[in-house]
Amino acid sequence: MLSPENNARLTKVSQGTPMGMLMRRYWTPVTFSSEVTVRDGPPIRVRLFGEDLVLFRDTSGSLGLIADQCPHCLASMFFGRNEDNGLRCVYHGLKFDVTGACTDLPCVPPVAP
Ligand code: FES
């Protein structure tokens, strides 16, 4: 019989846990591709390994899986606008591509050279 500590080690998969780090090394199916067929269509919610994520298909047809919480002020990216190769947060307008990289910062004034 497993001790409570070993049971927790084998069953907890959130970020930073031993099993969570192991599971994140492997491909994991999250949904059917038929759930996100429309380019620039609405994102869907995915919960994987204790993380809330959103899945979307961008303008070029690539799939993106990013955190549901916007890194700026934690607004839900599920309500984001999927447009022009990225998912734009509806709160302040930061835009993220399918890799999770921020590609537009409309709320930040340009820096003078
Ligand atoms: S909360 Fe998303 S851009 Fe500010």
Side-chain angles (χ1 to χ4, degrees):
M1 183 164 191
L2 286 176
S3 67
E5 295 79 25
N6 283 339
N7 186 46
R9 181 183 300 259
L10 290 174
T11 57
K12 303 290 183 190
V13 292
S14 58
Q15 277 189 335
T17 62
M19 191 56 75
M21 290 189 286
L22 176 70
M23 295 297 287
R24 284 167 175 78
R25 291 177 177 225
Y26 297 95
W27 286 101
T28 304
V30 295
T31 190
F32 294 103
S33 61
S34 60
E35 295 287 322
V36 282
T37 56
V38 180
R39 295 177 185 211
D40 290 339
I44 65 168
R45 286 189 162 118
V46 174
R47 186 160 175 83
L48 184 66
F49 302 139
E51 292 186 67
D52 292 319
L53 309 165
V54 291
L55 177 68
F56 65 100
R57 189 177 294 276
D58 74 359
T59 311
S60 67
S62 298
L63 288 169
L65 183 66
I66 62 174
D68 182 31
Q69 290 188 321
C70 176
H72 184 230
C73 291
L74 306 181
S76 174
M77 294 300 293
F78 174 74
F79 300 107
R81 226 175 35 222
N82 189 359
E83 60 180 24
D84 196 21
N85 281 317
L87 190 60
R88 187 177 297 281
C89 179
V90 292
Y91 202 6
H92 301 105
L94 270 66
K95 185 175 164 185
F96 303 91
D97 68 12
V98 293
T99 69
C102 184
T103 58
D104 192 18
L105 292 161
C107 60
V108 177
V111 178

